[in-house]
Amino acid sequence: MVHLAETLNFSGRKVVAAWASLPFPALRGRSLPDTLCAFQRDVPWKLLSSCREPKDGGCFAQSVVLRGIGKGRHSSCPGKPPPSPLHTCESTEQILQRYLHTAFPGAFSTSHVLEQPCDTLPPYPQFFSPLLSRQGFLLLDKPTGYPSAGTVESIPVLAALQSSPVLHTLLYGLYKDLQKLKTRRCASFFAAGVEEDDFQEALHELRTLSQCYEMGFEADESEGEADSD
């Protein structure tokens, strides 16, 4: 994980944010391009790190893994013109890579596709919606005997690590909280071997690190805050 984070970071950045879609919201019987096209203005995963949800969804670099989606047909209507560029791709890997380049233009993106889904047999907790099939795909209609359609045996999963501007808010917020710390009241803390100069240096490095994730207007706002400090 450390080596992967280092690969995704440059220009002084060191931290990545985690995202996941568990399960990946694919309808049973629908192709992967159809599923991804339904998320044109959004991404099919949620932020797991303790950051505020981004406004623009941009990132600097990312590594994305999709598992549990087979290499079957990529067109829902064979014989008809492809409804999107994603439907012209020849493999699942190409579909995912093209989607990432479209959703995150200019970002460095790597992707991996694994056919094997994530097993969710007991003792895995069965907290899934009854609208999932045994293979973890969304059902078009509510199953007979709602609310339960049986044990979900496996699910498709999409996960991502991103070097993203969302980390600016997290890191800068941490810096501001630590800045408010009254070090003179923490005698026992510094008695453990931490020097006041070392603490202030680490605080400065944390602020510098947060600035590495700024984009556009965020940088202007931070400069204004720096002047007020």
Side-chain angles (χ1 to χ4, degrees):
M1 187 69 72
V2 173
H3 294 309
L4 180 56
E6 291 176 349
T7 302
L8 296 175
N9 281 304
F10 42 86
S11 301
R13 305 183 188 105
K14 300 179 180 180
V15 186
V16 293
W19 305 71
S21 182
L22 192 151
F24 179 68
L27 285 169
R28 184 172 64 178
R30 295 287 181 86
S31 67
L32 179 59
D34 289 340
T35 301
L36 293 175
C37 284
F39 292 91
Q40 292 182 355
R41 297 185 179 182
D42 202 353
V43 290
W45 58 74
K46 294 295 183 181
L47 182 62
L48 300 183
S49 301
S50 57
C51 310
R52 187 174 57 190
E53 286 284 352
K55 297 179 180 179
D56 56 1
C59 74
F60 306 111
Q62 63 184 336
S63 177
V64 181
V65 176
L66 175 64
R67 60 182 299 178
I69 301 295
K71 298 182 179 180
R73 60 187 178 87
H74 301 313
S75 175
S76 300
C77 301
K80 295 184 179 180
S84 78
L86 292 179
H87 290 80
T88 64
C89 297
E90 298 181 356
S91 67
T92 307
E93 291 84 354
Q94 291 178 359
I95 294 171
L96 181 58
Q97 191 67 28
R98 186 159 191 169
Y99 171 79
L100 294 175
H101 283 308
T102 302
F104 302 92
F108 170 74
S109 299
T110 63
S111 61
H112 305 276
V113 176
L114 305 175
E115 288 193 59
Q116 183 179 3
C118 177
D119 293 332
T120 55
L121 290 171
Y124 198 97
Q126 291 294 312
F127 49 66
F128 301 106
S129 165
L131 298 182
L132 288 183
S133 70
R134 289 182 178 272
Q135 289 72 42
F137 292 96
L138 293 171
L139 300 170
L140 292 175
D141 301 309
K142 291 183 179 180
T144 304
Y146 183 84
S148 177
T151 301
V152 178
E153 300 175 352
S154 63
I155 56 172
V157 176
L158 186 146
L161 290 179
Q162 286 188 348
S163 176
S164 169
V166 301
L167 291 162
H168 166 67
T169 303
L170 173 66
L171 295 171
Y172 190 74
L174 178 59
Y175 160 76
K176 295 296 288 185
D177 289 340
L178 291 173
Q179 192 182 38
K180 298 175 184 178
L181 183 65
K182 303 299 182 181
T183 56
R184 293 182 180 179
R185 299 179 182 178
C186 302
S188 59
F189 177 72
F190 291 103
V194 178
E195 299 291 340
E196 173 68 23
D197 291 342
D198 294 337
F199 176 78
Q200 293 299 328
E201 182 179 356
L203 198 60
H204 174 74
E205 291 178 353
L206 180 60
R207 176 170 182 166
T208 301
L209 179 61
S210 73
Q211 293 171 340
C212 293
Y213 292 89
E214 292 176 326
M215 290 186 68
F217 67 92
E218 292 179 343
D220 296 336
E221 290 179 355
S222 294
E223 288 178 2
E225 292 174 351
D227 292 339
S228 62
D229 292 344

